[in-house]
Amino acid sequence: MQGALTRYRIIAWIVGMVLLALTLGMVLKYGPADDATLVETVGFYHGFLYMVYLVATFDLSRRVPWPFKRMILVMLAGTVPFLSFWAERHVTRHWVPRPAPALSE
């Protein structure tokens, strides 16, 4: 389960960063710059990486028995800017065991 969680965390951050770059590209494309270069370049990579994100999320959801609704919501988090970062933190806090508090003498 730890390997699936690590893979999910890495791809969630990558997809989140690429989605932010794509969002910046959309601002540049439809804003005053009128330049579609960033969207044309980053759009393909975001699409491919989002598919990897879906596979990693599905893998994690099968190893940790999630309800279907939770799996779908986490998968959709890769489509909204900044939401994949929040989902990654929420999943990590919920499923990673917390270390036991140190006993003071």
Side-chain angles (χ1 to χ4, degrees), residues 21-22 25-26 29 34-47:
L22 184 59
M26 294 297 284
K29 179 179 178 180
D34 196 29
D35 184 17
T37 307
L38 190 58
V39 172
E40 292 168 356
T41 306
V42 175
F44 170 78
Y45 294 108
H46 174 67

